[in-house]
Amino acid sequence: MPLGSVRSRTVSRETVHHPLFARYYARISVAAERRFGMGDVRDRLLAGLSGRVIEIGAGNGLNFTHYPRTVSEVVAIEPERLLRQLAVEAALRADVPVDVVPGAAEALPVKSEAFDAAVVSLVLCSVRDVSRALGELRRVLRPGGTLRFYEHGTGGGPAMRYAQRTLDRTVWPALNGGCHLSRDPVAALRAAGFELGPYRRLSMPAKGPRLPVSYCVLGTARRPGVEG
Ligand SMILES: C[S@@+](CC[C@H](N)C(=O)[O-])C[C@H]1O[C@@H](n2cnc3c(N)ncnc32)[C@H](O)[C@@H]1O
């Protein structure tokens, strides 16, 4: 079989097409910037980053204006067409150069060890294959490179966790662009061989009753460096 057909089959299998969710997310995510303090979370997520950065599942590009000027370049991967178009527009408003590129987390279209840092925010819930996506993130980070993450996942008491699992098995992913509520991003990062740096649990929104999407974690991990 020619290599070309293997490649195109792989790409089409990875294509993410959620036009209704994309429209909905483009609206609620902008509202959440101020209303739920997401803008502050994005500042904390990206503070202190430098060098070449890859952002996976960049959505409509709401992180872009929060990158510090110490970042020399952002390669922003986004598979969903509408969100990618919005990300291209958001890139024009950023203080740092942002290149928006189609692609999926499970097969990143970039060279190995090419980035000083990687960013995922609200993405590991939606990728089809978490361990493959994290394996790809390890591949493209240089040894010792940093991963910044802001993700939601499993949390609360037994009743909440049961509700999260039930929603995952029924309507939630179909209505929310493939999102899952009961994944455990910290455990997945450890299992993928990342060294966990500081991370903290937060509730989003911070006030009011906890929802199945409220159990968030914001933190840092590192691709282990070359030994000795
Ligand atoms: C909830 S949105 C988050 C967007 C953005 N990161 C943010 O912080 O607002 C989830 C994003 O993950 C993207 N996504 C879904 N599956 C993906 C995959 N397999 N690889 C890369 N991105 C994916 C979606 O297209 C969407 O942009």
Side-chain angles (χ1 to χ4, degrees), residues 18-30 82 175-176:
H18 296 299
L20 285 179
F21 171 76
R23 265 187 229 138
Y24 163 74
Y25 188 74
R27 297 180 83 158
I28 58 145
S29 59
V30 170
L82 171 67
L175 293 177
N176 292 281

Side-chain angles (χ1 to χ4, degrees), residues 16 25 42 57-59 78-80 83 104-106 121-123 126-127:
V16 172
Y25 188 74
R42 295 184 194 280
E78 174 50 51
E80 216 297 322
L83 292 173
E106 293 87 345
S121 62
L122 306 174
V123 168
S126 298
V127 299

Side-chain angles (χ1 to χ4, degrees), residues 33 38-43 46-47 62-68:
E33 288 295 285
M38 271 303 296
D40 293 342
V41 171
R42 295 184 194 280
D43 277 338
L46 306 175
L62 289 179
N63 280 330
F64 298 167
T65 54
H66 298 266
Y67 280 101

Side-chain angles (χ1 to χ4, degrees), residues 14-210:
E14 305 298 355
T15 300
V16 172
H17 184 60
H18 296 299
L20 285 179
F21 171 76
R23 265 187 229 138
Y24 163 74
Y25 188 74
R27 297 180 83 158
I28 58 145
S29 59
V30 170
E33 288 295 285
R34 286 219 187 142
R35 205 153 151 213
F36 300 133
M38 271 303 296
D40 293 342
V41 171
R42 295 184 194 280
D43 277 338
R44 283 153 68 194
L45 173 71
L46 306 175
L49 283 179
S50 60
R52 294 195 78 216
V53 177
I54 185 164
E55 179 176 336
I56 312 299
N60 43 341
L62 289 179
N63 280 330
F64 298 167
T65 54
H66 298 266
Y67 280 101
R69 286 175 192 270
T70 41
V71 166
S72 57
E73 179 192 2
V74 178
V75 174
I77 307 289
E78 174 50 51
E80 216 297 322
R81 184 182 302 223
L82 171 67
L83 292 173
R84 192 167 62 245
Q85 280 167 2
L86 296 171
V88 168
E89 290 165 24
L92 301 174
R93 299 189 288 273
D95 288 335
V96 301
V98 180
D99 195 9
V100 179
V101 176
E106 293 87 345
L108 293 174
V110 295
K111 288 186 183 158
S112 299
E113 303 191 356
F115 294 92
D116 301 295
V119 173
V120 282
S121 62
L122 306 174
V123 168
L124 295 179
C125 55
S126 298
V127 299
R128 285 182 200 158
D129 186 331
V130 177
S131 70
R132 213 172 128 195
L134 292 177
E136 277 291 90
L137 276 171
R138 271 193 68 162
R139 177 182 70 76
V140 304
L141 273 176
R142 66 168 169 75
T146 301
L147 173 65
R148 297 285 181 89
F149 57 92
Y150 173 66
E151 294 290 334
H152 70 85
T154 182
M160 177 58 82
R161 286 170 195 258
Y162 178 77
Q164 290 177 322
R165 287 195 302 273
T166 304
L167 285 166
D168 276 358
R169 282 196 301 268
T170 53
V171 294
W172 189 265
L175 293 177
N176 292 281
C179 172
H180 295 77
L181 297 161
S182 61
R183 290 184 177 171
D184 184 341
V186 170
L189 286 166
R190 278 211 184 91
F194 281 94
E195 286 171 0
L196 265 292
Y199 65 90
R200 58 176 298 207
R201 307 268 174 195
L202 21 124
S203 180
M204 184 61 71
K207 292 182 187 146
R210 297 240 171 142

